[in-house]
Amino acid sequence: HDLLQRVAKDCAKYRVSRLLVEAKASGKSIAQEMRRAYARENYGVTEINPGNMDKVSRAHSIVYLFTDKMVWIPDPDVVEWAAMVIDECGKFPKGSHDDIVDRVTQALGWLRLAGLAERRDEREAEVLDSVTFRKRNVEPLYPGS
């Protein structure tokens, strides 16, 4: 109960629009209870199943989002939590903690799957594909007329 209240408080404090919960162990019951108890709040709850990928593989799968400069990183001198995130991600996988790395990979992976983090070349290909004429063989509505 304390965990649910703390999560709900943080969701309100940080104006969360989507709460991502790992669908393993206690995560499933937490997600269900958050949906039930806080259904009237302004955020949705989504369960994320990491599948059989380990933490290192999940981190490697989103590295290009940083190298392609698709992720904005706040100035650590201005935003207090930014230094902590940068430090933990920089030490991964040899650091003593990896909870923040888990959250970063989970959030960026979800944004990617939801189509909210597209690479420029993917977007250009999608636009080009949408305007490319394709001849279709359409059957007449009334054959023989």
Side-chain angles (χ1 to χ4, degrees):
H1 182 71
D2 291 340
L3 175 61
L4 292 175
Q5 288 181 330
R6 193 172 79 209
V7 170
K9 183 180 174 183
D10 284 347
C11 286
K13 178 181 177 181
Y14 295 110
R15 298 188 316 256
V16 169
S17 60
R18 175 72 45 194
L19 174 64
L20 304 176
V21 179
E22 190 169 291
K24 285 189 167 186
S26 61
K28 285 185 165 285
S29 60
I30 289 171
Q32 291 170 352
E33 190 60 21
M34 288 296 294
R35 283 190 198 102
R36 187 197 63 75
Y38 300 98
R40 295 185 184 270
E41 297 300 321
N42 291 329
Y43 56 85
V45 179
T46 299
E47 293 179 49
I48 302 294
N49 186 347
N52 58 2
M53 287 178 68
D54 63 19
K55 292 179 182 193
V56 175
S57 298
R58 291 194 305 260
H60 281 292
S61 74
I62 55 98
V63 165
Y64 72 90
L65 295 171
F66 291 94
T67 59
D68 287 356
K69 298 180 180 170
M70 294 175 64
V71 177
W72 175 76
I73 302 169
D75 182 349
D77 295 330
V78 178
V79 180
E80 69 179 66
W81 54 262
M84 185 172 56
V85 172
I86 293 167
D87 183 59
E88 187 173 306
C89 288
K91 291 177 181 175
F92 182 79
K94 302 213 185 279
S96 56
H97 301 288
D98 61 14
D99 292 338
I100 293 173
V101 175
D102 273 349
R103 302 299 70 85
V104 168
T105 59
Q106 187 179 67
L108 292 175
W110 181 81
L111 287 169
R112 181 85 173 120
L113 289 174
L116 300 172
E118 286 184 315
R119 297 172 85 171
R120 179 174 286 123
D121 57 340
E122 291 172 332
R123 180 68 184 138
E124 289 170 357
E126 184 179 313
V127 169
L128 180 63
D129 190 51
S130 72
V131 297
T132 302
F133 176 76
R134 287 184 192 77
K135 184 178 177 182
R136 296 183 298 164
N137 292 330
V138 180
E139 294 292 321
L141 184 58
Y142 301 105
S145 52

